Amino acid sequence: MARITLEELNEMDDEDLDGDEEPMDGEEQNRLFSHWEAVASTHQVMLPQEMAGPIVEMTQHNQAREPAPYTTLSQHEKCEEMAYEERLYPSKKWACITTRELKYEQSISMGFMKLMRYICKENSLRRHLGMTVPVITEIHLNKEGTELLQDVITGYYLPEEFQLNPPLPVDPEIQVIERAPLQVITRVFYGNTTEETILQEIHLLWELLGSTDNVLHETYVVATYENPGVPNRRNEIWFIRRAN
């Protein structure tokens, strides 16, 4: 069964994420867990009891989320509105995990769950690493472009202070890798990220771009920045330029 995602556990409401509060007592911890059980239920996922500790850990370490660095190469408008932009992400280290559940939503839930534990002390430093944005999922389409394949790679950008010596994951399924420089065409979209909405956004961006041979046609990235509970939350679809 799918579980609550790392996005939801890390992008909590301001009232629940005051890092200056005193350590939580049992009643406060129960209230917080119940709150996120309710959030999870709206997405038809289950929040297991063993996530109570990481939820409290993430709440007590509320801080600004460090963005993955990039350079804007170009911006393109349509009808006087931003249609898409092209960026270059430098080679950096990311903690990644591959999941293969029946549904996309289940895969990202399982992947985020494991990555959250890595962020919350299940690493060689035994310390909280801090949250970054965006959380990315690399997806693959069938040859017809009509559905997502089961393999989903979820990635967490390691904060700059850990780039030279990344903390090792306790979970053997998580790998810290150095991703090659990535040139992407990005388009912002708002709302939930489901297989249906992702396929729709891919189709819309292809319509804007037209035919192009130097963009991958079967591999894409979904980048998420905000809590799924936020109305019209910000996401991006990334098209990947072929390496020269």
Side-chain angles (χ1 to χ4, degrees):
M1 180 180 293
R3 294 177 170 83
I4 190 170
T5 70
L6 178 62
E7 299 167 88
E8 293 174 319
L9 296 175
N10 286 304
E11 300 283 351
M12 298 182 178
D13 297 334
D14 290 340
E15 65 176 308
D16 290 319
L17 283 177
D18 187 350
D20 296 328
E21 291 183 356
E22 294 296 323
M24 294 183 184
D25 60 25
E27 183 177 348
E28 289 175 314
Q29 292 183 27
N30 290 336
R31 180 186 63 84
L32 183 62
F33 186 81
S34 295
H35 169 74
W36 287 104
E37 276 190 317
V39 173
S41 67
T42 64
H43 297 272
Q44 298 182 340
V45 294
M46 181 185 70
L47 181 63
Q49 186 63 43
E50 61 263 26
M51 290 306 298
I55 289 173
V56 172
E57 179 76 18
M58 192 69 73
T59 302
Q60 293 177 332
H61 286 85
N62 180 38
Q63 54 195 302
R65 291 161 177 81
E66 181 179 337
Y70 66 86
T71 300
T72 300
L73 301 178
S74 62
Q75 295 181 326
H76 304 265
E77 294 185 352
K78 184 176 182 180
C79 300
E80 300 184 351
E81 292 186 358
M82 180 65 65
Y84 60 91
E85 71 176 31
E86 192 150 0
R87 301 175 188 159
L88 177 62
Y89 284 83
S91 178
K92 290 290 183 179
K93 294 185 176 67
W94 294 67
C96 299
I97 184 168
T98 300
T99 48
R100 301 175 180 88
E101 303 298 322
L102 291 176
K103 295 184 178 180
Y104 169 76
E105 292 84 352
Q106 292 175 325
S107 288
I108 60 173
S109 294
M110 298 300 291
F112 287 146
M113 188 79 69
K114 290 177 177 289
L115 285 175
M116 183 177 180
R117 293 191 179 106
Y118 169 67
I119 296 168
C120 292
K121 295 186 177 180
E122 288 192 16
N123 56 70
S124 56
L125 296 180
R126 298 294 180 183
R127 58 165 287 189
H128 187 273
L129 303 181
M131 193 54 199
T132 60
V133 290
V135 173
I136 63 172
T137 54
E138 181 179 308
I139 57 174
H140 306 276
L141 271 59
N142 61 5
K143 292 183 179 180
E144 295 76 22
T146 56
E147 62 182 30
L148 304 185
L149 302 183
Q150 281 185 279
D151 282 18
V152 174
I153 301 174
T154 305
Y156 156 74
Y157 168 69
L158 281 161
E160 193 62 35
E161 67 173 299
F162 302 120
Q163 283 290 316
L164 289 179
N165 296 294
L168 299 177
V170 173
D171 189 336
E173 294 185 14
I174 297 174
Q175 294 184 326
V176 176
I177 63 173
E178 183 161 3
R179 297 181 66 103
L182 192 66
Q183 188 169 336
V184 298
I185 301 169
T186 75
R187 175 175 167 81
V188 175
F189 68 99
Y190 297 91
N192 294 327
T193 54
T194 64
E195 180 167 352
E196 181 180 1
T197 59
I198 290 169
L199 291 173
Q200 180 181 13
E201 293 301 325
I202 289 173
H203 178 72
L204 288 173
L205 186 48
W206 274 121
E207 285 188 339
L208 288 170
L209 290 177
S211 178
T212 178
D213 295 329
N214 65 344
V215 173
L216 300 182
H217 283 247
E218 296 177 7
T219 302
Y220 301 88
V221 172
V222 179
T224 58
Y225 292 83
E226 296 178 298
N227 172 15
V230 173
N232 294 321
R233 67 186 176 112
R234 178 193 170 197
N235 314 284
E236 293 173 345
I237 191 73
W238 293 1
F239 283 20
I240 303 172
R241 289 283 191 190
R242 296 183 188 277
N244 295 328

